[in-house]
Amino acid sequence: MATRPRSGAKAAVTLRQLRAFLLTAQNGSASMAARSLGVTQPAVSQQLQELETVLRVRLIERVGIRMLPTPAGRAMIEPVRRAFAALDQVEPAIAPFREADTGLVRLGTGATACIHFLPEPLARAQASMPNLQLVVVTGNTSDIVSGVEEGAIDVGLVTADELRSNPSIHLEHVFDEELVAILPKRLEHQVPGRLQPHDFSHLPLILFDPAGRTRDIADGWFRTGGVTPIPTMELGSIEAIKVLVGAGLGVSLVPDLATGSMPDTIVRRRLAQPVRRRLSLILRTDKVLDSGLRALLSEIRASAESLQQRHPCSCLDKQR
């Protein structure tokens, strides 16, 4: 039984109506269209009538014993054929994603975590699911959060303690890592073993981009010691900062993970009042965890546990 649209609601063209129209136009007969569809001839006639009502144009006319398309109907035939051809591609397109080891996961993170933490869990996830497609994008925390909110990113690994007033995002703390000082080797014997904010006051500072969460944490550490940092350079890449420090152009505060591979022209120092940044996983609260996403999350958590054992400065916070 056909249903009448609610008052004020615009009726929509249905696939059933389009199939009835196309088969009638091709066969010149509503009865033949009905046999092809496995329905009665009156049912086909009703579908045609409803389609003409929705489109507000006559599509089929009777010429003798045949039912032929009007000029408007002839103009519709090819677009309708293309529409059904496109529908035929839906099943083949989604079929691979029914396989247990197939899927797509889009991960957003910062460049430092991407270089120094994620290669191992990404490689293991790929090895466990060879047909899994992993897409990684980098950006500041605010950019990644926006991507997760909009659905452009499936999961983020970001520097964040909390996300205020954002009930649509679930946040899971993964691990904390210290910020440490790096300085040119020539200064090795000119600074103490553990640095205070005032130890930087006479040195050229090369700091991370002020748009990044890591910069906020570094600035906060300086302020606790009564120092207002005035950097000579601000860069968006920790790796670029390391190169410039190694060239003797200044000193910096960087995440401890980034100090695993440094040239011998750079010296690493811990801070007298340790300061940490917290890395967290973020997902939409309504996100469906398919097999690919579950595999990646599991490998990230496992790598964080391993990191706790290898680097005492980086610790999984199990108390929060």
Side-chain angles (χ1 to χ4, degrees), residues 111-113 116 159 175-184 195 200 204-209 213-219 221-222 233-246 250-263 266-271 273-279 311 313-314:
T112 302
H116 298 285
T159 304
F175 66 90
D176 294 347
E177 62 169 332
E178 283 193 29
L179 296 190
V180 296
I182 57 172
L183 51 148
L195 299 177
F200 292 82
L205 275 175
I206 305 173
L207 295 181
F208 195 66
D209 179 8
R213 174 63 182 145
T214 299
R215 172 63 181 277
D216 290 340
I217 296 170
D219 286 351
W221 180 79
F222 280 111
M233 300 184 207
E234 298 175 320
L235 302 174
S237 166
I238 297 294
E239 297 308 300
I241 290 174
K242 287 161 60 178
V243 170
L244 295 179
V245 170
V251 300
S252 187
L253 296 184
V254 299
D256 190 45
L257 277 179
T259 66
S261 58
M262 292 194 303
I266 297 178
V267 175
R268 171 187 174 278
R269 285 284 191 274
R270 293 185 69 183
L271 306 178
Q273 293 86 32
V275 61
R276 294 179 172 89
R277 70 172 193 166
R278 169 161 289 177
L279 272 77
H311 296 274
C313 290
S314 299

Side-chain angles (χ1 to χ4, degrees), residues 150-186:
E150 296 164 3
I153 295 173
D154 298 309
V155 57
L157 179 63
V158 298
T159 304
D161 291 319
E162 60 181 6
L163 297 177
R164 297 173 182 170
S165 304
N166 202 333
S168 67
I169 300 294
H170 170 73
L171 181 145
E172 174 189 341
H173 299 143
V174 180
F175 66 90
D176 294 347
E177 62 169 332
E178 283 193 29
L179 296 190
V180 296
I182 57 172
L183 51 148
K185 189 173 180 61
R186 61 181 174 79

Side-chain angles (χ1 to χ4, degrees), residues 119-161:
E120 184 176 327
L122 288 173
R124 289 203 307 264
Q126 189 75 80
S128 68
M129 299 181 64
N131 294 321
L132 176 64
Q133 182 181 358
L134 295 170
V135 177
V136 181
V137 296
T138 60
N140 289 326
T141 293
S142 58
D143 301 325
I144 303 304
V145 171
S146 295
V148 171
E149 287 178 323
E150 296 164 3
I153 295 173
D154 298 309
V155 57
L157 179 63
V158 298
T159 304
D161 291 319

